[in-house]
């Protein structure tokens, strides 16, 4: 745990930390744009079957032609997936007359066959709202409508794979190099997705963007927390979460002004080229360097930090001998290779890993269940995106105060349980009370955003440095698994409308109970080794046992006094 003292020596909250955290947080502004891009590039415009070519209705007014060729659905709107096999001229009849194909009026009504057929010649789309989406580009409607959800699931699959790949590689090769790769992969993948000629290529490049996003999240957060002191971790961690919140508002603005899906995809990807260029300035985590036997490079980085912070003299006092002497225990405990198996090898790490996996899965599962289909709320999607983003601001203020005052564990548990109850409450509200339903959904989404904010900080504090990226990669993978499963829950909802809400609400409540098994980390230094994590867990269990013993002893004394009296 001695690294904190060394960091204080070179300046733990100086100019370096301010610039370092700012540059790492800037790309996070565009993360929400990629995560929630599907809401806009895959928005489903109003559509109906295209009339047959060289049809007799071609010369008519479009509204009249629509009436003659497309039946109405149960809601009284033109059917999206069927058309009449032949124009229904009798529908224009008035007082026993009908308009014939040649435009003459007949006094007798002879209804034509009402046989229906699919949209044999494609669809007509209403482009007044959006000039182009992947739905209208590749006709992902009717029998192909499930491909819309598949596109998002493929993206989340990339995030899941990236969590596994980048999590392990970061602990082995370092945070900085993997972050550089993530920025470049996101920029190139997003650019290629914007110019994809087919839906399958679009999905492939979105998969790469998903992988890049995992690498970006994991390594950005680790480089942030490993270069700052304990007492500012809550504020800085929450501040980085606000960048994601602001990103949701930025996405709504960009999507409002850029109505073509290709240009919108390109616009949210180009900033990562800039991030890739300036990220060469970043310094590798000295914590990681020391624990991986690269003390000379760690000394060099610490002296650079000292120089930037105006503490050159203090930095010159640090050398490899000082580092090795100060972190002798941590270095001895970190010898050998470490893998994801270390997350389950010891009792405390097993509890931490399994509990966090459930919490991350439930948070992401419910979060994307609410956030990924804004059209279902019946409100302007740009407005609802702003509302969903804005609710994160007060939610994260509350969770920041809560984490600082009452601790990480109760805050994590309360946030996710409240989200579950908000979602379940929506089941009791009639569908025609749209304002109430939207309000409950917004409040639930705010609680889930607070839970996510707590998740990132809490997990970074629970996992020791030597396997932190493995641990963060694993729980991030579970979060992406939750995001992939979330859309699938809507399928049985077509038969049982209440079932998705019950599952979306029930899972977070269960996860909130599981979170209570985690150890508290408020005001505690980061663990560097597995042994540090085990010792912390044992000390908290011993403290609880002592408190329980005191309570039992007091109750026994009270009973004895009563008997004596």
């Amino acid at each position: 745990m001695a690294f904190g003292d060394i960091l204080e020596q070179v300046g733990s909250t100086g100019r370096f930390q301010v610039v370092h955290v700012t540059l790492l947080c800037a790309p996070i502004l565009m993360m929400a744009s990629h995560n929630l891009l599907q809401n806009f590039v895959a928005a489903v415009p109003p559509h109906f079957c295209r009339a047959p070519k060289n049809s007799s209705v071609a010369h008519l007014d479009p509204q009249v032609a629509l009436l003659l060729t497309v039946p109405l659905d149960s809601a009284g709107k033109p059917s999206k997936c069927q058309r009449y096999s032949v124009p229904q001229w009798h529908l224009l009849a008035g007082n026993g007359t009908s308009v014939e194909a040649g435009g003459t009026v007949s006094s007798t009504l002879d209804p034509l066959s009402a046989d229906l057929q699919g949209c044999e010649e494609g669809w007509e789309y209403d482009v007044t709202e959006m000039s182009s989406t992947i739905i209208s580009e590749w006709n992902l409607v009717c029998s192909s409508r499930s491909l819309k959800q598949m596109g998002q699931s493929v993206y989340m699959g990339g995030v899941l794979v990236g969590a596994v790949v980048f999590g392990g590689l970061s602990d082995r090769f370092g945070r900085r190099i993997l972050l550089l790769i993530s920025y470049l992969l996101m920029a190139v993948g997003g650019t290629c997705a914007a110019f994809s000629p087919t839906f399958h290529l679009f999905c492939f490049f979105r998969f790469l963007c998903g992988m890049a996003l995992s690498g970006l999240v994991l390594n950005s957060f680790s480089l942030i927390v490993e270069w700052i002191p304990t007492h500012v971790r809550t504020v800085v961690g929450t501040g980085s979460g606000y960048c994601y919140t602001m990103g949701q508002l930025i996405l709504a603005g960009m999507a409002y002004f850029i109505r073509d899906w290709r240009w919108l995809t390109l616009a949210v990807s180009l900033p990562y080229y800039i991030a890739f260029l300036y990220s060469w300035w970043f310094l590798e985590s000295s914590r990681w360097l020391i624990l991986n036997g690269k003390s000379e490079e760690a000394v060099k980085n610490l002296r650079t930090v000292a120089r930037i912070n105006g503490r050159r003299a203090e930095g010159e006092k640090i050398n490899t001998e000082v580092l090795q002497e100060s972190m002798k225990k941590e270095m001895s405990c970190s010898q050998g290779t470490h893998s994801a198996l270390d997350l389950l090898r010891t009792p405390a790490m097993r509890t931490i890993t399994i509990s966090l996996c459930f919490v991350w899965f439930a948070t992401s599962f419910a979060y994307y269940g609410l956030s990924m289909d804004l059209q279902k709320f019946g409100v302007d999607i740009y407005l609802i995106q702003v509302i969903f983003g804005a609710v994160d601001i007060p939610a994260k203020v509350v969770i920041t105060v809560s984490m600082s005052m009452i601790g990480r564990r109760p805050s994590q548990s309360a946030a996710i349980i409240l989200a579950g109850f908000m979602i379940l409450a929506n089941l009791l509200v009639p569908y025609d009370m749209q304002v109430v339903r939207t309000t409950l959904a917004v409040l639930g989404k705010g609680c889930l955003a607070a839970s996510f904010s707590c998740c990132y900080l809490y997990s970074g504090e629970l996992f020791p440095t030597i396997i932190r990226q493995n641990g963060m990669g694993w729980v991030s993978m579970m979060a992406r698994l939750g995001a992939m499963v979330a859309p699938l829950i809507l399928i049985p909802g077509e038969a049982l409308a209440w079932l998705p809400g019950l599952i979306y609400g029930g899972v977070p409540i269960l996860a909130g109970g599981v979170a209570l098994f985690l150890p508290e980390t408020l005001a505690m230094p980061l663990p560097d080794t597995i042994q540090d994590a085990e010792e912390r867990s044992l000390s908290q269990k011993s403290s609880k046992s002592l408190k329980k013993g005191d309570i039992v002893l007091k109750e026994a004394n009270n009973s004895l006094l009563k008997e004596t009296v």
Side-chain angles (χ1 to χ4, degrees):
M1 301 288 186
F3 184 81
D5 297 329
I6 298 172
L7 188 59
E8 289 293 339
Q9 183 177 337
V10 300
S12 59
T13 54
R15 189 183 301 113
F16 168 80
Q17 279 77 14
V18 173
V19 176
H20 180 74
V21 171
T22 301
L23 292 179
L24 282 168
C25 286
I28 297 176
L29 287 169
M30 303 307 298
M31 270 176 45
S33 298
H34 278 273
N35 264 351
L36 304 176
L37 189 63
Q38 181 90 350
N39 280 329
F40 299 99
V41 302
V44 182
H47 56 277
F48 51 86
C49 293
R50 183 177 291 128
K53 293 180 180 179
N54 302 320
S55 170
S56 55
V57 300
H59 67 285
L60 298 177
D61 180 89
Q63 292 300 320
V64 175
L66 178 63
L67 174 66
L68 297 177
T69 56
V70 177
L72 300 180
D73 59 19
S74 58
K77 296 181 179 180
S79 175
K80 298 177 181 179
C81 302
Q82 289 182 317
R83 72 179 186 188
Y84 295 120
S85 57
V86 292
Q88 300 295 290
W89 294 101
H90 68 281
L91 294 176
L92 293 180
N95 298 323
T97 62
S98 64
V99 180
E100 300 293 351
T104 59
V105 179
S106 170
S107 59
T108 59
L109 180 61
D110 183 19
L112 301 175
S113 172
D115 289 341
L116 300 177
Q117 62 181 194
C119 300
E120 306 294 336
E121 298 181 45
W123 290 261
E124 295 286 350
Y125 295 93
D126 184 350
V127 295
T128 55
E129 182 73 18
M130 294 182 178
S131 61
S132 174
T133 70
I134 64 170
I135 304 300
S136 60
E137 180 91 12
W138 293 304
N139 292 324
L140 306 183
V141 292
C142 299
S143 61
S144 300
R145 63 182 179 273
S146 61
L147 293 179
K148 172 189 172 180
Q149 300 300 340
M150 189 192 81
Q152 181 65 13
S153 293
V154 167
Y155 170 76
M156 285 300 175
V159 181
L160 186 151
V161 172
V164 177
V165 172
F166 285 108
L169 292 179
S170 297
D171 277 332
R172 184 174 180 182
F173 298 107
R175 284 71 161 120
R176 178 178 173 274
I177 187 63
L178 269 299
L179 184 60
L180 284 167
I181 294 172
S182 299
Y183 285 149
L184 184 60
L185 185 60
M186 179 70 85
V188 174
T191 302
C192 292
F195 293 102
S196 297
T198 66
F199 177 68
H200 294 93
L201 274 177
F202 172 79
C203 288
F204 172 73
F205 290 119
R206 285 285 288 161
F207 180 87
L208 295 183
C209 288
M211 288 186 64
L213 184 125
S214 277
L216 194 157
V217 171
L218 295 172
N219 294 288
S220 293
F221 192 77
S222 288
L223 278 177
I224 288 173
V225 300
E226 291 176 6
W227 273 117
I228 60 175
T230 301
H231 64 276
V232 299
R233 279 207 309 263
T234 303
V235 175
V236 174
T238 304
S240 62
Y242 270 117
C243 290
Y244 185 87
T245 298
M246 294 305 297
Q248 297 179 63
L249 303 180
I250 291 172
L251 172 63
M254 294 180 70
Y256 183 82
F257 289 105
I258 305 175
R259 302 298 181 99
D260 184 279
W261 76 268
R262 291 187 184 274
W263 288 110
L264 180 60
T265 303
L266 183 63
V268 300
S269 302
L270 291 179
Y272 286 100
Y273 287 107
I274 300 173
F276 172 73
L277 293 176
Y278 73 62
S279 61
W280 290 91
W281 176 85
F282 293 149
L283 295 179
E284 181 57 86
S285 166
S286 284
R287 286 180 184 270
W288 179 85
L289 290 169
I290 295 167
L291 296 176
N292 283 271
K294 299 181 179 181
S295 298
E296 292 183 1
E297 190 175 346
V299 169
K300 181 181 177 182
N301 285 358
L302 286 167
R303 288 179 177 176
T304 300
V305 172
R307 186 178 69 254
I308 295 173
N309 286 340
R311 296 192 176 188
R312 184 187 295 269
E314 288 84 351
E316 293 300 326
K317 296 176 184 178
I318 299 174
N319 52 42
T320 55
E321 290 75 17
V322 171
L323 285 182
Q324 291 171 358
E325 181 63 29
S326 300
M327 301 188 67
K328 184 184 297 181
K329 187 188 78 169
E330 287 82 357
M331 293 179 69
S332 63
C333 291
S334 65
Q335 295 301 312
T337 58
H338 297 277
S339 67
L341 293 177
D342 292 310
L343 297 170
L344 302 172
R345 205 180 299 277
T346 58
M349 290 309 305
R350 269 197 301 273
T351 300
I352 290 170
T353 303
I354 293 173
S355 299
L356 284 178
C357 281
F358 196 14
V359 169
W360 278 74
F361 175 89
T363 301
S364 181
F365 173 75
Y367 184 93
Y368 287 102
L370 284 176
S371 303
M372 280 316 306
D373 189 10
L374 299 184
Q375 287 182 303
K376 67 187 175 186
F377 292 104
V379 182
D380 180 80
I381 60 173
Y382 305 102
L383 176 61
I384 196 68
Q385 178 65 60
V386 170
I387 295 173
F388 264 37
V391 74
D392 288 11
I393 298 174
K396 289 180 179 178
V397 169
V398 172
I399 200 68
T400 300
V401 174
S402 177
M403 286 191 293
S404 300
M405 300 294 292
I406 66 175
R408 277 60 158 153
R409 178 173 55 196
S411 300
Q412 179 70 81
S413 180
I416 195 169
I417 287 175
L418 280 173
F421 278 121
M422 291 293 177
I423 297 171
L424 290 179
N426 238 339
L427 294 175
L428 305 177
V429 181
Y431 278 94
D432 57 350
M433 299 178 66
Q434 201 65 45
V435 174
V436 178
R437 291 180 59 81
T438 303
T439 301
L440 287 172
V442 169
L443 292 175
K445 195 265 184 182
C447 291
L448 291 169
S451 178
F452 255 133
S453 184
C454 190
C455 276
Y456 278 106
L457 179 63
Y458 198 14
S459 300
E461 294 176 338
L462 286 169
F463 289 120
T465 301
I466 57 173
I467 55 170
R468 181 166 294 123
Q469 290 301 74
N470 266 310
M472 292 297 289
W474 189 257
V475 295
S476 181
M477 181 189 74
M478 294 303 297
R480 307 318 158 193
L481 183 62
M484 289 179 64
V485 173
L488 303 180
I489 301 301
L490 297 174
I491 297 176
E494 296 179 3
L496 300 171
W498 52 267
L499 185 59
L502 181 64
I503 298 174
Y504 286 140
V507 172
I509 293 174
L510 291 175
V514 172
L516 295 174
F517 291 96
L518 293 167
E520 183 55 70
T521 61
L522 177 62
M524 294 185 179
L526 288 177
D528 286 317
T529 66
I530 294 175
Q531 184 178 343
D532 290 337
E534 293 292 324
E535 289 175 354
R536 178 178 60 189
S537 179
L538 287 173
S539 67
Q540 291 191 18
K541 287 181 179 179
S542 299
S543 178
K544 287 182 181 179
S545 299
L546 287 173
K547 288 181 181 179
K548 288 181 180 178
D550 290 341
I551 293 172
V552 171
L553 184 59
K554 287 180 181 179
E555 290 177 349
N557 289 334
N558 290 335
S559 299
L560 184 60
L561 286 172
K562 289 180 181 178
E563 291 176 2
T564 302
V565 173

